[in-house]
Amino acid sequence: MNAPTSGLDLVERNIILNHSGKKKGVWKLAIKSYRSTLGQIPNLHIPSERTMCTLTMDDNVFVLLDDPVAPTRADVLAAAPPGQEAAYLQGPTHFRTTFLTLRPPGALEQLLAQLKARWVSVRQSSSNVLQRGQSSGQQLMIDGHQYAIGNDWLVRVGNVCLAGGGIKGMVLEAEYLPLPVLHSPGADGTSELLSNLLTSILPNVKDAKTVAVTISDSQWDDVLWEREQGERVDNTTGETTKMASESPEDIYVYGDEDIPEKQPKDWIGIDRDRRSAYLIMGALRSEGIL
C-alpha cells in the first residue's frame, strides 16, 4: 500500500493497542533487479531482454528469472494432446519463469562477474550501466519489524525504501502459525481469514491504495516444478498404481487413499521464505516499483 511516512508507527500502535501484539524483532529485506544485454551481441536479434530479480532474506537469496519469449509450463500443458503431457514438457529448454534459492548473499554477483555474464543492474542512481565486476549496491530495502499477536499470528510490516532514501509504500505480511498450509476455497487463493486480519491492522489513511497479492496452489506448483523431479514422478506413477490395483482387498492398505502425503512446499522453514519472497517480488513488480 502507499503509506505516509508515519505509516509504520500507525500500524505498530494499532497492533499493540488494539490486538495486544508484541514486537518480536526487525524485518529487513534487500532487493535488486537486473536485465540481460543479449541484444548487444553482434548478429543476435532477440524480441525482448530477460529480467532477473533477487531478494535477500537472512542468509538466503531468492532469484526470479523471467524470459518473456519462453512459454509457460501451463501453456505447454494446454497444447499437449491427452497422455502426452510429459513428452511435451521436455520440449522447451526452459520455461518463462525460473525460481532459484542461493546462498550465501553476494555469491550471485561474484558468479556474474567471473563469468562476465551479460547482465546489468537497473534502477541505479548514478549510472544506467553496471561495469563488469562492479557491485550495484542495494536498490530496494524493506525495513520494518515483526510482531506476534497471541500465539497464532505473526505479522511483518516494513516500509519500501528506495535507494535514494525515499519511501515508496509499505508491505504487510501475515502468517497463521497453527496451520502450515492454509487452503482457501476461492479460485484465486485468497484467504478471508488473512484478509480480515490485514484489513484490521491497516491504518485508516485517506486515499490510500491497498493491493492484496496471493497465489493459488496450482500456480505455486508451476513455480516450484522441476524437470528432473517431474520425470521421476511420471516414471513411478504407473508402477505405484499397478501395485495398488493388484491387491485391492489387502486390509493392510485399504482405506489409506485419502490420507494426504506430506508436501515439501508446506508453509514452514525455507519453503515459507521462498513463497514469501516470490509474493513480495510479484507485488513490487505489479506496482512498477521493481
Side-chain angles (χ1 to χ4, degrees), residues 88-116:
Y88 268 63
L89 287 175
Q90 306 310 312
T93 57
H94 63 279
F95 298 111
R96 171 159 184 167
T97 58
T98 304
F99 194 47
L100 306 172
T101 304
L102 306 177
R103 65 168 54 186
L108 177 62
E109 289 80 356
Q110 296 178 8
L111 179 63
L112 295 178
Q114 292 174 0
L115 297 178
K116 297 181 178 180

Side-chain angles (χ1 to χ4, degrees), residues 32 43 49 51 69 176 254 285:
K32 298 180 182 181
N43 301 323
E49 295 286 358
T51 60
V69 180
Y176 188 56
Y254 180 76
R285 292 178 67 186

Side-chain angles (χ1 to χ4, degrees), residues 54-76:
T54 67
L55 186 149
T56 302
M57 182 186 302
D58 298 328
D59 295 330
N60 297 306
V61 180
F62 303 96
V63 184
L64 179 61
L65 289 157
D66 183 88
D67 183 2
V69 180
T72 65
R73 179 172 176 265
D75 293 337
V76 174

Side-chain angles (χ1 to χ4, degrees), residues 1-4 7-8 11 157-160 167-172 202-203:
M1 63 171 292
N2 57 330
L8 202 58
V11 172
V157 187
N159 285 327
V160 180
I167 297 178
K168 191 64 176 179
M170 180 186 296
V171 174
L172 291 90
L202 289 174

